[in-house]
Amino acid sequence: MRPYKHPAADQFALERIFQALSDPIRLEIVRHLDRVTEATCGELDGGRPKSSMSHHFRILRDAGLVHTRGAGTVHQNTLRRAELNARFPGLLDAILAQPAG
Amino acid sequence: MRPYKHPAADQFALERIFQALSDPIRLEIVRHLDRVTEATCGELDGGRPKSSMSHHFRILRDAGLVHTRGAGTVHQNTLRRAELNARFPGLLDAILAQPAG
DNA sequence: TCTTAAGTTCGATAATATTCGAACTATCGA
DNA sequence: TCGATAGTTCGAATATTATCGAACTTAAGA
């Protein structure tokens, strides 16, 4: 399992983050990760095919929202909370304060 | 000039807002409106065709970000600051705190 | 009333994104 | 070493968005 490419915090772009969050599936993933400290891709697929989920996770990674770490045969995902808060103070809180509707 | 349809604050959807802000032109419009209290469409076109700009303004309106008011032969646009702050506290500040890059 | 200016609406075309099956890689356990 | 499991990558089909010219509408001013 080769390591994922995660952008450095100073390469985060607001537009890319918004683009990532404009999809309901991805927004739901982010909300879920906010509640659970970490989760595997499989825990978050909602019955969707793995290739679709892999696509969504890649977009979340590329935007800098999510960090994925291989742990054995599983991949653990976490929100990049600290870096996001440092780079865009208040943004994550404003997003996650919302109920899931 | 028939009145525009602006969504009520309780109909704002985070995903729609993100989708609206994921385009660099629209993000720039919002940033500009943050600085100038109000502006016409023409002031913000950056040389682009009117039909393209009209499209972008409609998306910003539909998302609830921008209010457009006909004033004579011109259309004045404003950020829906108060309503956005009430509905998504901190979101607008977090976005606009960012430098334009 | 004629003209001009500001936007909108309507197509059509081009560019992006999403979805998902199939084949592939890596890791664990038996 | 042989599955089995978790995800990735590829490719193709579909759907959504963006762009822009042309025709239209409204309001203001000469």
Side-chain angles (χ1 to χ4, degrees):
Chain A
M1 146 213 67
R2 70 182 152 315
Y4 294 92
K5 211 182 53 176
H6 293 98
D10 62 359
Q11 295 176 315
F12 293 174
L14 216 37
E15 296 156 25
R16 192 177 295 268
I17 288 178
F18 289 144
Q19 204 274 333
L21 294 175
S22 67
D23 183 283
I25 295 174
R26 294 193 292 262
L27 188 53
E28 194 42 53
I29 290 173
V30 169
R31 282 197 220 276
H32 189 108
L33 289 177
D34 177 51
R35 298 191 297 266
V36 299
T37 68
E38 75 178 357
T40 65
C41 301
E43 295 178 80
L44 299 167
D45 64 10
R48 271 171 277 267
K50 294 194 295 181
S51 55
S52 298
M53 295 315 289
S54 189
H55 165 72
H56 289 304
F57 275 102
R58 191 165 69 76
I59 287 176
L60 289 169
R61 270 196 302 273
D62 289 351
L65 285 160
V66 165
H67 182 270
T68 305
R69 162 180 67 86
T73 177
V74 135
H75 295 196
Q76 290 291 355
N77 299 282
T78 52
L79 254 188
R80 295 180 67 178
R81 233 184 268 275
E83 287 156 300
L84 287 163
N85 284 336
R87 185 81 164 69
F88 306 113
L91 181 62
L92 215 46
D93 288 346
I95 295 166
L96 297 170
Q98 286 305 307
Chain B
M1 147 213 67
R2 68 184 155 314
Y4 294 93
K5 214 183 50 174
H6 292 98
D10 62 0
Q11 294 176 315
F12 294 173
L14 216 38
E15 296 156 24
R16 192 179 296 269
I17 288 178
F18 290 144
Q19 204 273 332
L21 293 175
S22 66
D23 183 284
I25 295 174
R26 294 193 292 263
L27 188 54
E28 195 41 54
I29 291 173
V30 168
R31 282 196 221 274
H32 188 108
L33 289 178
D34 177 51
R35 298 191 297 265
V36 298
T37 67
E38 74 179 357
T40 64
C41 301
E43 295 178 78
L44 300 167
D45 64 10
R48 270 171 278 267
K50 294 194 294 180
S51 55
S52 297
M53 295 314 288
S54 189
H55 165 73
H56 289 305
F57 276 103
R58 191 166 68 77
I59 288 177
L60 289 169
R61 270 196 301 275
D62 289 351
L65 286 159
V66 166
H67 182 271
T68 305
R69 163 181 67 86
T73 178
V74 135
H75 295 196
Q76 290 291 354
N77 298 282
T78 53
L79 255 187
R80 295 180 66 176
R81 233 183 267 276
E83 288 155 299
L84 287 163
N85 284 335
R87 185 82 165 71
F88 306 114
L91 181 62
L92 215 46
D93 288 346
I95 294 167
L96 297 171
Q98 286 305 306

